[in-house]
Amino acid sequence: MSGPNFSNSVVRWIDHRLPVFTFMHHEMHEYPTPKNLNYWWNFGSLAGIVLVILIVTGIVLAMHYTPHVDYAFQSVERIMRDVNYGWLIRYIHANGASFFFIVVYIHIFRGMYYGSYKAPRELLWILGVVILLLMMATAFMGYVLPWGQMSFWGATVITNLFSVIPIVGDWIVTLLWGGFSVDNPTLNRFFSLHFLLPFVIVGVVVLHIVALHRFGSNNPLGIDVRGKQDSIPFHPYYTIKDMFGLGVFLTIFAAVVFFLPNAMGHADNYIPANPLVTPAHIVPEWYFLPFYAILRAIPDKLMGVLAMFAAIGVLFILPWLDRSPIRSGTFRPLFKIFFWLLLADCVMLTYLGGKPPEGVYVILSRLGTLYYFFHFLILLPGLSIFETPKPLPRSISQPVLGSGAGPVTAEKENS
Amino acid sequence: MRARGLITAAAVIIAVGLTTSPVRASGDGIELPSQDWSFAGVFGTFDRGELQRGFQVYKEVCSGCHSLNYIAFRNLADLGFNELEVKAIAAGYEVQDGPNKEGEMFNRPGLPADRIPAPFPNDNAARASNGGALPPDLSLMVDARPDGANYLYALLTGYDDAPSGMTVAEGMNYNTYFPGHQVAMPPPLFDDGVEYADGTKATAAQQARDITAFLAWTTEPNMEARKEMGVMAILFLLIMTGLLYLSKRKIWADVH
Ligand code: HEM
């Protein structure tokens, strides 16, 4: 097998013994990528960069943070006031977590619209859902660390959920708490796990990318790459496109970090934790709100918890619920409508999760929850039977070249 | 087209994030009047005169009941006091130190590195002197309440007679803006309750403004550095992103 020819002799010497440069050349220069990817395909690499930003800022924060109920809040304030640029590091880390979820949620809906979860990318998709679960656990435990009022009460409410599980519930809760209430042992183990889990995420992301590189990216048309004319090397084309997207992202991110650093947080978390005073409204971070709305929509506690986990559980089996052989929503007139309805439903559930569970909010939460599961469990399997898809273009390069045959409409619709 | 879709989507998601974030939902749904603050907005800065007057209000009024645990005397240099003035302010306080060689705690005049001493040795002592209610530490107050600056000003100027039909409990005071309307803190500010060194007329409203600005500073002493750096960062990122866009156009020019 003839590898690339490196001009630098040191590189050649190393590569002969440890072929990392060949590996990189293969994955970057030779790795063929569909040439028609739109900007929604930026969000995968963006998520990876945000993950790195979170890990780097997190390690610096851990150098100054004290995981003890008597000092945690103070140590965070010391970071904000006395550590050089500590405020910057902390604001980047806290808002970075929110942006991580924004980016990954967009990334997931991109995958849903273009059918990226379908064969042969089912495992790639499932690894993604595993990442989502790990992110949620990490973010939840991270939010407990500053030991403010919302840290404490959020931890109390969420860990208590596990107590409804029959037989083992109480045992799990005691294990999470390290005692009989949320207290110092809880804070200590959450800190330890919050440090560990991001590296587990890195491991799963590596697997995610190995799976991705097996068949390469899907694309807005959802049809396979047929040959050289359909693809371009990842580098430099997508590296520069990803860099441009990163620039746009960082500009928006910086605007929030520097000018609205507490807008996505909660005022109560600037009050030190107090087990004797319950806040008026205990609300989780915004990225948990749709799941919180589903939890509260169901009157029975155990069923509520099950529904909340099932809301993510259905994503695992999505590749087998959607039986249509057509990947891209562009060619599925009915699916497309229901995709936007599902997105609207999720936005509504997010809104409802932040509202008190009373009156019309409860009714809407129930309808929203019902519709969420209706979409995945009934609509998607049914659609593949009733829907007549539009004709697919013959190849990726054909509609772009406009050589006559096949519909030319696809490009336009991917806006 | 695509870029527009993307930006709209991002805007929608951020908007949902912001509006559902409970920060906006003020405690009891009581509408807070908005004030003009010099420190609001992208280019907002603190007004040094306002901060110094606010410190005076804290020192002469609030410090009888409220601590300011996160502020050391040296931090007051930010308010525009020079080194000698900071030393003099610190020396005006008694600070407990020790133990000395004999194992005794002792009092000495404050130094710039000391934190501003709290009025009570512990929470129980604070409650005992305040009819059972705990006056909270004020250092972080502006971030610890939704729409903190407007809330603080409204709270301090919001004492009124209780509406007819409402009975205010023993030792409590009616306040329009406190959640539940009954607050244990007696009205702290009165016209000419302090005498400003710079000659500003010390109406109760003026004092409320000044102490609020001062507490906005104690909440985030680095706010001005943050905004300054923010403006530079955004300018840099805009230029960089523009250049990246041009490079992207150039590199992609041969893709059909
Ligand atoms: C830490 C979080 C994540 C990182 C760093 C990450 C990273 C990436 C990267 C770099 C790509 C390739 C670029 C792209 O196609 O956008 C990708 C593709 C993909 N990701 Fe993720 N991802 C994450 C989370 C997820 C989640 C939560 C899911 C789904 C539940 C998911 C599903 C997918 C799928 C299906 C693809 C293939 C897309 C296609 O080719 O159409 N990812 N991911």
Side-chain angles (χ1 to χ4, degrees), chain A residues 41 44-45 47-48 100 104 107 110 116 124 128-129 131 208 212 217-218:
Chain A
W41 263 258
S45 69
F100 197 19
V104 167
H107 187 63
R110 183 286 313 264
S116 298
L124 171 61
V129 184
I131 293 171
H208 189 74
L212 172 72
S217 290
N218 181 28

Side-chain angles (χ1 to χ4, degrees), chain A residues 40-45 47-48 51 100 104 107-108 110-111 116-117 121 124-125 128-129 131-132 135 201 205 208-209 212 216-219 315:
Chain A
W40 297 112
W41 263 258
N42 277 48
F43 288 87
S45 69
L51 180 61
F100 197 19
V104 167
H107 187 63
I108 293 174
R110 183 286 313 264
S116 298
Y117 47 82
R121 297 187 181 83
L124 171 61
W125 172 261
V129 184
I131 293 171
L132 177 64
M135 283 171 64
I201 295 180
V205 169
H208 189 74
I209 289 168
L212 172 72
S217 290
N218 181 28
N219 65 77
L315 296 180

